Amino acid sequence: MNLTDRIVVVTGGAGGIGSALARRFAAEGAAAVVVADVNADAARAVAAAVGPVAHPAGVDVTDEEQVRALVADTEQKFGRIDLFCANAGVSTGGGVDAPDADWDRAWRVNVLSHVYTARAVLPAMLARGGGHLLMTCSAAGVLTAVGDAPYTATKHAAVAFAEWLAITYRDRGVRVSALCPQGVDTPMLSEGLAAGHLGAKVIAASGAVLTPDQVADSVIAGLAEERFLILPHPEVATYARRRAEDPDGWQAGLRKLVRRLTA
């Protein structure tokens, strides 16, 4: 995908990877970038910083009617949506004993929001014979997030759903990409480290922590090549192969890392 003159929507756009994507899409020549976030004030601030092509929207992605309204409003204003970046996500730092409310929120934000997005954007994309869905799924979706059971389970579900969409709709003109970064310098990681969450410690110890702008660079390259898996950390592909070839050895290595970090 060439971003010139494209109409783009970014959810979770008020910070971290989302705001970096909004800035980069505008710099690449997008005709309009809708910066959507549950924090409407923050979305307005990011849109103002991005410039005149950016348009803020306050949207709770766990509410299907709000997602449908976001899509309908964007299509009405700009005629179409070329690229929808379903980027909103939450972590919990909890294990099996995480409260049901945390499990439910992780499910609604990390999985159901993608379902709501697909239901809303696919009809027009299929009618037009083109469009691209970018789903931020995390390396946890192809590996695991030690210390965060709800995040791991829901991000695996998000990757599975993205793959299903790609298989089902690619031949009808709709491309799907799953963005799966590992450590990124965002509030999700910094707040997890400040809270002492094991998962955040493992991420920080597992390799390079990229900036959101570096992730945006990988997204631009991945969209241009229409890749399904976009891996800002290339080593994630190596880890995934090791995990598939020797699951017991892979788990033993992670347990060793956990013992070191919790000693």
Side-chain angles (χ1 to χ4, degrees):
M1 170 174 280
N2 183 322
L3 272 297
T4 303
D5 294 328
R6 300 294 188 176
I7 308 301
V8 184
V9 177
V10 183
T11 65
I17 293 172
S19 60
L21 290 176
R23 291 193 301 270
R24 185 58 185 273
F25 294 150
E28 292 289 322
V33 179
V34 177
V35 181
D37 200 277
V38 68
N39 187 332
D41 290 339
R44 281 191 288 270
V46 170
V50 170
V53 301
H55 306 268
V59 177
D60 179 353
V61 296
T62 69
D63 185 325
E64 184 168 13
E65 290 307 310
Q66 291 190 39
V67 174
R68 288 189 179 276
L70 170 66
V71 170
D73 289 347
T74 304
E75 291 174 342
Q76 182 178 27
K77 289 177 182 176
F78 305 108
R80 67 188 189 281
I81 295 174
D82 297 302
L83 171 65
F84 194 109
C85 302
N87 172 72
V90 294
S91 61
T92 71
V96 296
D97 55 349
D100 285 358
D102 287 354
W103 280 95
D104 182 66
R105 183 163 183 262
W107 176 254
R108 294 185 66 81
V109 177
N110 296 344
V111 183
L112 279 184
S113 68
H114 295 304
V115 177
Y116 299 157
T117 293
R119 288 174 180 170
V121 302
L122 278 173
M125 287 185 176
L126 291 171
R128 199 170 64 248
H132 203 125
L133 289 174
L134 173 70
M135 298 165 56
T136 300
C137 298
S138 170
V142 291
L143 301 171
T144 195
V146 174
D148 198 326
Y151 191 76
T152 296
T154 54
K155 289 300 184 177
H156 271 264
V159 171
F161 183 56
E163 184 177 52
W164 184 90
L165 290 171
I167 292 168
T168 303
Y169 295 109
R170 175 64 181 253
D171 289 346
R172 297 176 64 183
V174 178
R175 271 53 173 171
V176 179
S177 295
L179 173 60
C180 297
Q182 195 165 247
V184 184
D185 186 14
T186 66
M188 183 181 291
L189 178 59
S190 61
E191 290 169 7
L193 289 171
H197 290 166
L198 175 60
K201 293 179 182 179
V202 169
I203 290 171
S206 296
V209 175
L210 302 182
T211 67
D213 288 333
Q214 288 174 307
V215 175
D217 290 341
S218 295
V219 167
I220 295 300
L223 292 176
E225 297 174 6
E226 296 186 344
R227 273 186 264 135
F228 172 68
L229 275 183
I230 299 179
L231 303 177
H233 297 78
E235 61 268 29
V236 169
T238 301
Y239 299 156
R241 283 193 292 271
R242 291 176 183 170
R243 176 177 174 270
E245 293 168 356
D246 183 13
D248 295 308
W250 168 255
Q251 292 171 24
L254 282 177
R255 291 196 300 271
K256 181 178 179 180
L257 176 59
V258 168
R259 288 195 299 270
R260 177 168 66 83
L261 292 174
T262 55

